[in-house]
Amino acid sequence: MVLDVRHEVSSDNASEPEPSGPALPATDQTDKLPSPGASEHGDSGGDLDLETLLNQVVEAESLQEQATAVAQLRAAVPGGAGIRLLSAVVENRSDSRRLVAAQALGFHRHWLAAKTGEEQLLAWVRGERDPQVGAALVWGLRNREAVQEFLLHRDVGLAREAAFGMPLSENTLPALVTAVLVGQDDVTARVLLEKLGTIQRRQLGTVVDLLVEWPAPLTVETLTSLLERLPQLPLFELLLERKGMPEWDPQQRGGRETDQARNWHQLASLAEKALLKAPGGELIRYLIGQSARNDAFARRHASFLRSAVNNTDTRFGPDLLGDLERLTRAASEDRLARMAQMLLELSHKLDAATGDRADALLEEWKSKSPDLKLKIYHMQQGLR
């Protein structure tokens, strides 16, 4: 029986991932935890009791006894002597309390504020042979960039723990993308792909750069699974509008730059398919707005917009119609005709109330001129 507090809120108030292993019955979560700093240099009485608590957790004869000891161990924020005691237990490979000590160190993390603390924890993980202890030690590195080192660890449980705890930043994106592309564990990859879905616009450029510069061939399936998780609108702008496309040297016939150009075009092609598979409302509204404002954009992406509208599961409401109503002001007849075409193609995706407003808007556009009225009428009748 061991201490597993990953489903609780730790004393550093960090958000915690779901536990990757079995957990003890939850104790009363209303217990107040002392401030970590309060006992760092204070009374060492708690530290003197720490070893007793470790023994009670390991030696408890019932779940209730163990749960009580666990609750006390959570509340007993260790000072300097306590951290040294827990560290000594972790370093003693014959000590049966190592897993409990490792989890206690990961729960009370004030000792990691010093750089030497993180370095010590990293050293323990690198040399750890027990998979459970290793995973518990990695849990102690959650929300720290250093945990990225273990995303491709040979032990699956340890790698998953690293994936759960890794923060998303410019510094961790290369390790994250690498683990997705070459990792062997589906669960770890799934966790990391979920994180990719939350990246910022500027971070998307970093991900695309990493894929373009990847030195080995990648399967269509691998690339597609990654592209489908990325934010859709920034992905469209970057790869389909080519806002981030590098300046390739047309004189260079071979070498690394040619490989990168080929990778870029492959990504753009796969991104288009991924976006059309399940386009979201934000992307559709962007496409409609840009098409209404920009003639060149409308011509370039007309086919994509039609396919995206047909494939989306989104039901559009007042916001979309409000966009079109605002774009009506000072619009030319050609632009109004194009907007009418888009609105008619969207009609099966409008809710009932919005559909009535759309009909009224079409009638307003018809009143602009006899020519425009005839064009819209033909559109409504399915004529071109």
Side-chain angles (χ1 to χ4, degrees):
M1 305 296 289
V2 298
L3 168 68
D4 191 337
V5 294
R6 286 174 291 179
H7 62 298
E8 300 288 345
V9 178
S10 68
S11 60
D12 62 354
N13 294 321
S15 59
E16 308 300 341
E18 290 296 316
S20 60
L24 291 179
T27 58
D28 184 0
Q29 297 187 31
T30 62
D31 290 343
K32 300 299 183 181
L33 294 177
S35 168
S39 61
E40 180 64 27
H41 300 292
D43 187 358
S44 62
D47 289 340
L48 294 176
D49 294 333
L50 197 58
E51 187 157 17
T52 300
L53 292 175
L54 289 176
N55 293 335
Q56 289 175 350
V57 172
V58 173
E59 298 169 0
E61 296 182 356
S62 69
L63 286 176
Q64 184 57 49
E65 289 180 11
Q66 188 183 51
T68 300
V70 165
Q72 293 174 333
L73 190 55
R74 289 195 192 106
V77 182
I83 295 299
R84 289 191 291 273
L85 169 63
L86 293 171
S87 300
V89 172
V90 168
E91 291 175 347
N92 183 355
R93 295 188 182 276
S94 63
D95 197 316
S96 61
R97 304 167 299 173
R98 295 183 71 235
L99 181 55
V100 181
Q103 291 180 327
L105 285 169
F107 187 76
H108 301 293
R109 297 198 299 168
H110 52 285
W111 65 284
L112 291 176
K115 183 175 176 60
T116 53
E118 182 176 285
E119 291 173 347
Q120 178 62 75
L121 187 49
L122 286 169
W124 284 337
V125 178
R126 291 168 188 148
E128 185 54 54
R129 299 174 185 173
D130 184 313
Q132 285 188 297
V133 175
L137 293 171
V138 168
W139 177 67
L141 289 166
R142 64 197 177 280
N143 299 327
R144 290 173 172 263
E145 291 182 348
V147 78
Q148 67 183 297
E149 177 182 334
F150 307 107
L151 290 176
L152 292 174
H153 197 275
R154 62 184 178 277
D155 179 75
V156 170
L158 195 149
R160 291 177 182 178
E161 201 69 67
F164 277 120
M166 191 188 72
L168 195 59
S169 70
E170 289 288 338
N171 293 331
T172 60
L173 275 176
L176 186 155
V177 171
T178 298
V180 169
L181 296 180
V182 305
Q184 301 299 313
D185 178 50
D186 291 342
V187 174
T188 299
R190 189 160 61 247
V191 170
L192 295 176
L193 286 171
E194 288 293 333
K195 289 179 182 286
L196 271 181
T198 67
I199 63 175
Q200 304 298 314
R201 185 180 299 263
R202 58 183 174 79
Q203 294 174 324
L204 178 63
T206 300
V207 172
V208 170
D209 287 344
L210 290 167
L211 296 175
V212 168
E213 296 171 5
W214 192 258
L218 296 168
T219 66
V220 169
E221 181 182 4
T222 297
L223 287 173
T224 299
S225 66
L226 191 153
L227 291 169
E228 287 178 349
R229 298 302 185 101
L230 297 175
Q232 290 188 339
L233 179 52
L235 186 64
F236 175 86
E237 292 179 318
L238 187 64
L239 287 176
L240 274 69
E241 289 194 76
R242 301 186 175 187
K243 289 186 176 181
M245 186 174 182
E247 294 293 332
W248 308 114
D249 183 358
Q251 302 300 319
Q252 188 160 347
R253 300 297 182 182
R256 189 79 185 118
E257 188 163 325
T258 298
D259 293 340
Q260 291 173 350
R262 182 175 58 251
N263 291 346
W264 175 279
H265 291 295
Q266 181 191 26
L267 281 178
S269 176
L270 293 176
E272 181 174 3
K273 294 175 182 177
L275 291 172
L276 287 177
K277 183 178 179 180
E282 181 188 27
L283 177 60
I284 299 293
R285 287 185 63 190
Y286 173 80
L287 291 169
I288 291 172
Q290 287 296 101
S291 295
R293 295 184 186 91
N294 187 311
D295 294 345
F297 182 96
R299 290 191 296 271
R300 189 164 60 249
H301 298 294
S303 176
F304 184 91
L305 174 58
R306 282 193 294 271
S307 298
V309 169
N310 288 332
N311 292 345
T312 186
D313 290 331
T314 304
R315 303 298 296 181
F316 295 101
D319 289 343
L320 174 62
L321 203 60
D323 293 342
L324 292 175
E325 287 171 341
R326 285 188 293 274
L327 291 168
T328 298
R329 305 185 186 100
S332 66
E333 287 193 10
D334 286 343
R335 181 167 296 180
L336 288 175
R338 187 166 62 250
M339 291 166 61
Q341 182 67 59
M342 289 188 292
L343 188 55
L344 288 169
E345 291 175 350
L346 276 169
S347 59
H348 64 293
K349 296 292 184 180
L350 301 176
D351 57 44
T354 305
D356 293 339
R357 283 180 57 194
D359 290 340
L361 185 58
L362 287 170
E363 292 303 314
E364 177 187 335
W365 291 344
K366 285 181 182 179
S367 68
K368 298 291 184 179
S369 75
D371 286 345
L372 184 57
K373 180 177 181 179
L374 184 60
K375 287 180 181 178
I376 296 177
Y377 173 77
H378 285 170
M379 293 175 193
Q380 290 173 317
Q381 300 304 311
L383 302 177
R384 295 293 185 267

